[in-house]
Amino acid sequence: SPVFNWDVEAISGYKELTRTDNAESFGIVRQTYTTFQNQEFVKWFAPFLEEGCSFEALGSLRGGRRIWGLLKLPTDNAEIGSGDVVAPYLLGAVGHGYELKLSYRPTGVRVVCANTLAMAMTPGTALSARHTKNIHKNAEAIRDCINISLNRFEASVDEYRRMKAVGIDTAG
């Protein structure tokens, strides 16, 4: 079978994003691309941990190209109906390369794998930051907004209970 070797020449305005531990390439990115390291990603959650949240899960996917973390909020789970329990979580995810912006969102989905991560990543529910020079400052602003939006869990539970009370006409 053929062996492929490429001589990578510098392309003006771009650079190669590689892992430092094994030199695996995550792709070509613009020179302005700013990384948000895994350690920074986990450290971002610290104020929530100090407020009583706890890590439910941390994971990486696609060879480390995607990192995610799930915090369980200190709020009690809510039972919507018999055996139908909703738990409040805070999900964070970041991609290395252009796969995924840095994003955080409240969710009721317990993320444990790629499938549940996809379920929790519903469009329009995240606060996110692009990988630019302002990514660190934007991550701080996101934390402030998340604090406000976490109060939505109680409102969501009330809405779920109202929907359950309406019922469904199966005769019809």
Coordinates of all heavy atoms in Angstrom, one line a residue, residues 46-121:
A46 N -15.1 26.1 38.6 CA -14.8 26.3 40.1 C -15.8 27.1 40.9 O -16.2 26.6 42.0 CB -13.4 26.9 40.2
P47 N -16.3 28.3 40.4 CA -17.2 29.0 41.3 C -18.5 28.2 41.5 O -19.2 28.3 42.6 CB -17.5 30.3 40.4 CG -16.3 30.4 39.6 CD -15.8 29.0 39.3
F48 N -19.0 27.4 40.5 CA -20.2 26.6 40.7 C -19.9 25.5 41.7 O -20.8 25.2 42.5 CB -20.6 26.0 39.4 CG -21.0 27.1 38.4 CD1 -20.2 27.5 37.3 CD2 -22.3 27.8 38.5 CE1 -20.6 28.5 36.4 CE2 -22.6 28.8 37.6 CZ -21.8 29.1 36.6
L49 N -18.7 24.9 41.7 CA -18.4 23.9 42.7 C -18.4 24.5 44.1 O -18.8 23.8 45.0 CB -17.0 23.3 42.3 CG -17.0 22.5 41.0 CD1 -15.5 22.1 40.7 CD2 -17.9 21.3 41.1
E50 N -17.9 25.7 44.2 CA -17.9 26.4 45.5 C -19.3 26.6 46.0 O -19.5 26.8 47.2 CB -17.1 27.7 45.4 CG -15.6 27.5 45.2 CD -14.9 28.7 44.8 OE1 -15.5 29.8 44.8 OE2 -13.7 28.6 44.5
E51 N -20.3 26.7 45.1 CA -21.7 27.0 45.5 C -22.5 25.7 45.7 O -23.7 25.7 45.8 CB -22.4 27.8 44.4 CG -21.8 29.2 44.2 CD -22.1 30.1 45.5 OE1 -23.2 30.0 46.0 OE2 -21.2 30.8 45.8
G52 N -21.8 24.6 45.7 CA -22.5 23.3 46.0 C -22.8 22.4 44.8 O -23.3 21.3 45.0
C53 N -22.4 22.8 43.6 CA -22.6 21.9 42.5 C -21.5 20.8 42.6 O -20.5 21.0 43.3 CB -22.4 22.6 41.2 SG -23.6 23.9 40.8
S54 N -21.7 19.7 41.9 CA -20.7 18.6 41.8 C -20.6 18.1 40.4 O -21.5 18.1 39.7 CB -21.1 17.5 42.8 OG -22.4 17.0 42.4
F55 N -19.4 17.6 40.1 CA -19.2 17.1 38.8 C -19.9 15.7 38.7 O -19.7 14.9 39.5 CB -17.7 16.8 38.5 CG -17.0 18.0 37.8 CD1 -16.1 18.7 38.4 CD2 -17.4 18.3 36.5 CE1 -15.5 19.8 37.8 CE2 -16.8 19.4 35.8 CZ -15.8 20.1 36.5
E56 N -20.7 15.6 37.7 CA -21.4 14.4 37.4 C -20.6 13.5 36.5 O -20.5 12.3 36.6 CB -22.8 14.7 36.8 CG -23.7 13.5 36.5 CD -24.4 13.1 37.7 OE1 -24.4 13.7 38.8 OE2 -25.1 12.0 37.6
A57 N -20.0 14.2 35.5 CA -19.2 13.5 34.5 C -18.3 14.5 33.8 O -18.6 15.6 33.6 CB -20.1 12.8 33.5
L58 N -17.1 13.9 33.3 CA -16.2 14.6 32.4 C -15.9 13.7 31.3 O -15.7 12.5 31.6 CB -14.9 15.1 33.1 CG -15.0 16.2 34.1 CD1 -13.7 16.3 34.9 CD2 -15.2 17.5 33.3
G59 N -15.7 14.2 30.1 CA -15.4 13.2 29.0 C -14.7 13.9 27.9 O -14.7 15.1 27.7
S60 N -14.1 13.1 27.0 CA -13.5 13.6 25.8 C -14.0 12.6 24.7 O -14.2 11.4 24.9 CB -12.0 13.7 25.8 OG -11.4 12.4 25.6
L61 N -14.1 13.2 23.5 CA -14.6 12.5 22.3 C -13.7 12.8 21.1 O -13.0 13.8 21.1 CB -16.0 12.8 22.0 CG -17.1 12.5 23.0 CD1 -18.4 13.2 22.7 CD2 -17.3 11.0 23.2
R62 N -13.7 11.9 20.2 CA -13.0 12.1 18.9 C -11.5 12.4 19.1 O -10.9 13.3 18.6 CB -13.6 13.3 18.1 CG -15.0 13.0 17.7 CD -15.6 14.1 16.9 NE -17.0 13.8 16.5 CZ -17.8 14.6 15.9 NH1 -17.3 15.8 15.5 NH2 -19.0 14.3 15.7
G63 N -10.9 11.5 19.9 CA -9.5 11.6 20.2 C -9.0 12.9 20.9 O -7.9 13.3 20.8
G64 N -9.9 13.4 21.7 CA -9.6 14.6 22.5 C -10.0 15.9 21.7 O -9.8 17.0 22.2
R65 N -10.6 15.8 20.6 CA -11.1 17.0 19.8 C -12.2 17.7 20.5 O -12.5 18.9 20.3 CB -11.4 16.6 18.4 CG -10.2 16.4 17.5 CD -10.6 15.9 16.1 NE -9.5 15.9 15.3 CZ -8.6 14.8 15.2 NH1 -8.8 13.8 16.0 NH2 -7.6 14.8 14.4
R66 N -13.0 17.0 21.2 CA -14.2 17.5 22.0 C -14.0 17.1 23.5 O -13.8 16.0 23.8 CB -15.5 17.0 21.5 CG -15.9 17.6 20.2 CD -17.3 17.2 19.8 NE -17.6 17.9 18.6 CZ -18.8 17.9 18.1 NH1 -19.8 17.2 18.7 NH2 -19.1 18.6 17.0
I67 N -14.2 18.1 24.3 CA -14.2 17.9 25.8 C -15.5 18.4 26.3 O -16.0 19.4 25.9 CB -13.0 18.7 26.4 CG1 -11.7 18.4 25.7 CG2 -12.9 18.5 27.9 CD1 -11.2 17.0 25.8
W68 N -16.0 17.7 27.3 CA -17.3 18.1 27.9 C -17.3 17.8 29.4 O -16.5 16.9 29.8 CB -18.5 17.5 27.2 CG -18.5 16.0 27.2 CD1 -18.0 15.2 26.2 CD2 -19.0 15.1 28.2 NE1 -18.2 13.9 26.6 CE2 -18.8 13.8 27.8 CE3 -19.6 15.3 29.5 CZ2 -19.1 12.7 28.6 CZ3 -20.0 14.2 30.2 CH2 -19.7 12.9 29.8
G69 N -18.0 18.6 30.1 CA -18.2 18.4 31.6 C -19.6 18.7 32.0 O -20.3 19.6 31.4
L70 N -20.1 17.9 32.9 CA -21.5 18.0 33.4 C -21.5 18.2 34.9 O -21.0 17.4 35.6 CB -22.3 16.8 33.0 CG -23.7 16.8 33.2 CD1 -24.4 17.8 32.3 CD2 -24.3 15.4 33.1
L71 N -22.1 19.3 35.3 CA -22.2 19.6 36.8 C -23.7 19.3 37.2 O -24.6 19.6 36.4 CB -22.0 21.0 37.1 CG -20.6 21.6 37.1 CD1 -20.5 23.0 37.6 CD2 -19.6 20.7 37.9
K72 N -23.8 18.6 38.3 CA -25.2 18.5 38.9 C -25.4 19.7 39.8 O -24.5 20.0 40.6 CB -25.2 17.2 39.7 CG -26.4 17.0 40.6 CD -27.6 16.6 39.7 CE -28.9 16.2 40.5 NZ -29.5 17.3 41.3
L73 N -26.5 20.4 39.6 CA -26.8 21.5 40.4 C -27.3 21.1 41.8 O -27.8 20.0 41.9 CB -27.8 22.4 39.7 CG -27.5 22.8 38.3 CD1 -28.6 23.7 37.7 CD2 -26.2 23.6 38.3
P74 N -27.1 22.0 42.8 CA -27.5 21.6 44.1 C -29.0 21.6 44.3 O -29.5 21.2 45.4 CB -26.8 22.7 45.0 CG -26.6 23.8 44.1 CD -26.4 23.3 42.7
T75 N -29.7 22.0 43.3 CA -31.2 22.0 43.4 C -31.7 20.5 43.4 O -31.1 19.7 42.7 CB -31.8 22.7 42.2 OG1 -31.2 24.0 42.1 CG2 -33.3 22.8 42.3
D76 N -32.7 20.2 44.1 CA -33.3 18.9 44.2 C -33.9 18.5 42.8 O -34.3 19.4 42.0 CB -34.4 18.8 45.2 CG -33.9 18.9 46.6 OD1 -32.7 18.5 46.8 OD2 -34.7 19.3 47.5
N77 N -33.8 17.2 42.5 CA -34.5 16.7 41.3 C -36.0 17.0 41.4 O -36.5 17.1 42.5 CB -34.3 15.2 41.1 CG -32.8 14.9 40.9 OD1 -32.0 15.7 40.7 ND2 -32.5 13.6 40.9
A78 N -36.6 17.1 40.3 CA -38.1 17.4 40.3 C -38.8 16.2 39.7 O -38.5 15.8 38.6 CB -38.4 18.7 39.5
E79 N -39.8 15.8 40.4 CA -40.7 14.7 39.8 C -41.9 15.3 39.1 O -42.6 16.0 39.7 CB -41.1 13.7 40.9 CG -41.9 12.5 40.3 CD -42.1 11.4 41.3 OE1 -41.8 11.6 42.5 OE2 -42.5 10.3 40.9
I80 N -41.9 15.1 37.8 CA -43.0 15.6 37.0 C -44.2 14.8 37.1 O -45.4 15.3 37.2 CB -42.6 15.7 35.5 CG1 -41.3 16.5 35.4 CG2 -43.7 16.4 34.7 CD1 -41.3 17.9 36.0
G81 N -44.0 13.5 37.1 CA -45.1 12.5 37.3 C -44.5 11.3 37.9 O -43.3 11.3 38.2
S82 N -45.3 10.3 38.1 CA -44.8 9.1 38.8 C -43.6 8.5 38.0 O -43.8 8.0 36.8 CB -46.0 8.0 38.9 OG -45.5 6.9 39.5
G83 N -42.5 8.5 38.6 CA -41.3 7.9 37.9 C -40.6 8.8 36.9 O -39.7 8.4 36.2
D84 N -41.2 10.0 36.6 CA -40.7 10.9 35.6 C -39.9 12.0 36.3 O -40.5 13.0 36.8 CB -41.8 11.5 34.8 CG -41.3 12.3 33.6 OD1 -40.1 12.4 33.4 OD2 -42.2 13.0 33.0
V85 N -38.6 11.8 36.5 CA -37.8 12.7 37.3 C -36.9 13.6 36.3 O -36.3 13.0 35.4 CB -36.9 12.0 38.3 CG1 -36.0 12.9 39.1 CG2 -37.8 11.2 39.2
V86 N -36.8 14.9 36.6 CA -36.0 15.8 35.9 C -34.9 16.3 36.8 O -35.2 16.7 37.9 CB -36.8 17.0 35.3 CG1 -35.8 17.9 34.5 CG2 -37.9 16.4 34.3
A87 N -33.7 16.2 36.4 CA -32.6 16.7 37.2 C -31.9 17.9 36.6 O -31.8 17.9 35.3 CB -31.5 15.6 37.4
P88 N -31.5 18.9 37.3 CA -30.8 20.1 36.8 C -29.3 19.9 36.6 O -28.6 19.6 37.6 CB -31.2 21.2 37.8 CG -31.2 20.4 39.1 CD -31.7 19.0 38.8
Y89 N -28.8 20.2 35.4 CA -27.4 20.1 35.1 C -26.9 21.3 34.5 O -27.7 22.1 33.9 CB -27.1 18.9 34.2 CG -27.5 17.5 34.8 CD1 -28.6 16.8 34.3 CD2 -26.7 16.9 35.8 CE1 -28.9 15.6 34.8 CE2 -27.0 15.7 36.3 CZ -28.1 15.0 35.8 OH -28.4 13.8 36.3
L90 N -25.6 21.5 34.5 CA -24.9 22.5 33.7 C -23.9 21.8 32.8 O -23.0 21.1 33.4 CB -24.2 23.5 34.6 CG -23.4 24.6 33.9 CD1 -24.2 25.4 32.9 CD2 -22.7 25.5 35.0
L91 N -24.0 22.0 31.5 CA -23.2 21.3 30.6 C -22.2 22.3 30.0 O -22.6 23.4 29.5 CB -24.0 20.6 29.5 CG -23.2 20.0 28.3 CD1 -22.4 18.9 28.7 CD2 -24.2 19.6 27.2
G92 N -21.0 21.9 29.9 CA -20.0 22.7 29.2 C -19.3 21.8 28.1 O -19.1 20.6 28.4
A93 N -19.0 22.4 27.0 CA -18.3 21.7 26.0 C -17.4 22.6 25.2 O -17.7 23.8 25.0 CB -19.3 21.0 25.0
V94 N -16.3 22.0 24.7 CA -15.3 22.8 23.9 C -14.7 21.9 22.9 O -14.5 20.7 23.2 CB -14.3 23.6 24.8 CG1 -13.3 22.6 25.4 CG2 -13.5 24.6 23.9
G95 N -14.5 22.4 21.7 CA -13.8 21.7 20.7 C -12.4 22.3 20.4 O -12.2 23.5 20.6
H96 N -11.5 21.4 20.0 CA -10.2 21.9 19.7 C -10.1 21.8 18.1 O -10.3 20.8 17.6 CB -9.1 21.1 20.3 CG -9.1 21.1 21.8 ND1 -9.0 22.3 22.5 CD2 -9.4 20.2 22.7 CE1 -9.1 22.1 23.8 NE2 -9.4 20.8 24.0
G97 N -9.8 22.9 17.5 CA -10.0 23.1 16.1 C -11.3 23.8 15.9 O -11.8 24.5 16.8
Y98 N -11.9 23.6 14.8 CA -13.2 24.3 14.5 C -14.4 23.4 14.7 O -15.5 23.7 14.2 CB -13.2 24.9 13.1 CG -12.3 26.1 13.0 CD1 -11.2 26.1 12.1 CD2 -12.4 27.2 13.7 CE1 -10.3 27.1 12.0 CE2 -11.6 28.3 13.6 CZ -10.5 28.3 12.7 OH -9.7 29.3 12.7
E99 N -14.3 22.3 15.4 CA -15.4 21.4 15.6 C -16.5 22.0 16.5 O -17.6 21.7 16.3 CB -14.9 20.1 16.2 CG -14.2 19.2 15.2 CD -14.2 17.8 15.7 OE1 -15.0 17.4 16.6 OE2 -13.4 17.0 15.1
L100 N -16.1 22.7 17.5 CA -17.1 23.2 18.5 C -16.6 24.4 19.2 O -15.5 24.4 19.7 CB -17.4 22.0 19.5 CG -18.4 22.2 20.6 CD1 -19.8 22.3 20.0 CD2 -18.3 21.0 21.5
K101 N -17.5 25.4 19.2 CA -17.2 26.6 20.0 C -17.2 26.2 21.5 O -17.8 25.3 21.9 CB -18.2 27.7 19.8 CG -18.3 28.3 18.5 CD -19.4 29.3 18.5 CE -19.7 29.8 17.1 NZ -20.8 30.8 17.1
L102 N -16.6 27.0 22.3 CA -16.7 26.9 23.8 C -18.1 27.3 24.1 O -18.6 28.3 23.7 CB -15.8 27.9 24.5 CG -15.9 28.0 26.0 CD1 -15.5 26.8 26.7 CD2 -15.1 29.2 26.5
S103 N -18.9 26.4 24.8 CA -20.3 26.6 25.1 C -20.7 26.0 26.4 O -20.1 25.0 26.9 CB -21.2 26.1 24.0 OG -21.1 24.7 23.9
Y104 N -21.6 26.7 27.1 CA -22.2 26.3 28.3 C -23.7 26.4 28.3 O -24.2 27.4 27.6 CB -21.6 27.1 29.5 CG -20.1 26.9 29.7 CD1 -19.2 27.8 29.1 CD2 -19.6 25.9 30.4 CE1 -17.9 27.7 29.2 CE2 -18.2 25.7 30.5 CZ -17.4 26.6 29.9 OH -16.0 26.5 30.1
R105 N -24.4 25.5 28.9 CA -25.9 25.6 28.9 C -26.5 24.8 30.0 O -25.9 23.7 30.4 CB -26.4 25.0 27.5 CG -26.2 23.5 27.4 CD -26.4 23.0 26.0 NE -25.3 23.4 25.2 CZ -25.4 23.8 24.0 NH1 -26.6 23.8 23.4 NH2 -24.4 24.1 23.3
P106 N -27.6 25.3 30.6 CA -28.3 24.4 31.5 C -29.0 23.3 30.7 O -29.4 23.5 29.5 CB -29.4 25.4 32.1 CG -28.9 26.8 31.7 CD -28.1 26.6 30.5
T107 N -29.2 22.2 31.3 CA -29.8 21.1 30.6 C -30.4 20.1 31.6 O -30.0 20.0 32.7 CB -28.8 20.3 29.7 OG1 -29.5 19.3 28.9 CG2 -27.7 19.7 30.4
G108 N -31.4 19.3 31.2 CA -32.0 18.3 32.0 C -31.5 16.9 31.5 O -31.9 15.9 32.0
V109 N -30.6 16.9 30.5 CA -30.0 15.6 30.0 C -28.8 15.3 30.7 O -27.8 16.1 30.9 CB -29.7 15.8 28.5 CG1 -29.1 14.5 27.9 CG2 -31.0 16.2 27.7
R110 N -28.7 14.0 31.2 CA -27.5 13.5 31.9 C -26.6 13.0 30.8 O -26.8 12.0 30.2 CB -27.8 12.4 32.9 CG -26.6 12.0 33.7 CD -27.0 11.0 34.8 NE -25.8 10.6 35.5 CZ -25.1 9.5 35.1 NH1 -25.4 8.8 34.1 NH2 -24.0 9.2 35.8
V111 N -25.5 13.8 30.5 CA -24.6 13.4 29.4 C -23.6 12.4 29.9 O -22.9 12.6 30.9 CB -23.9 14.7 28.9 CG1 -22.9 14.4 27.8 CG2 -24.9 15.7 28.4
V112 N -23.5 11.3 29.2 CA -22.5 10.3 29.5 C -21.8 9.7 28.3 O -20.9 8.9 28.4 CB -23.2 9.1 30.2 CG1 -23.7 9.5 31.6 CG2 -24.3 8.5 29.4
C113 N -22.2 10.2 27.1 CA -21.6 9.7 25.8 C -21.9 10.6 24.7 O -22.5 11.7 24.9 CB -22.2 8.3 25.5 SG -24.0 8.3 25.1
A114 N -21.4 10.3 23.5 CA -21.7 11.2 22.3 C -23.1 11.4 22.0 O -23.6 12.5 21.6 CB -20.9 10.6 21.1
N115 N -23.9 10.3 22.2 CA -25.4 10.5 21.9 C -26.1 11.4 22.8 O -26.9 12.3 22.4 CB -26.1 9.1 21.9 CG -25.6 8.2 20.8 OD1 -25.2 8.7 19.7 ND2 -25.7 6.9 20.9
T116 N -25.8 11.3 24.1 CA -26.5 12.2 25.1 C -25.9 13.6 25.0 O -26.6 14.5 25.2 CB -26.4 11.6 26.5 OG1 -25.0 11.3 26.8 CG2 -27.3 10.4 26.7
L117 N -24.6 13.7 24.6 CA -24.1 15.0 24.4 C -24.8 15.7 23.2 O -25.2 16.9 23.3 CB -22.6 15.0 24.1 CG -21.9 16.3 23.8 CD1 -22.0 17.3 25.0 CD2 -20.4 16.1 23.4
A118 N -25.1 15.0 22.2 CA -25.8 15.5 21.0 C -27.2 15.9 21.4 O -27.7 17.0 21.0 CB -25.9 14.5 19.9
M119 N -27.9 15.1 22.3 CA -29.2 15.5 22.7 C -29.2 16.7 23.5 O -30.1 17.6 23.4 CB -29.8 14.3 23.6 CG -30.2 13.1 22.8 SD -30.7 11.7 23.9 CE -31.7 12.4 25.1
A120 N -28.2 16.9 24.4 CA -28.1 18.1 25.3 C -27.7 19.3 24.5 O -28.0 20.4 25.0 CB -27.2 17.8 26.4
M121 N -27.1 19.2 23.4 CA -26.6 20.3 22.6 C -27.7 20.9 21.7 O -27.4 21.2 20.5 CB -25.3 19.9 21.9 CG -24.2 19.4 22.7 SD -23.2 20.7 23.5 CE -22.4 21.4 22.1

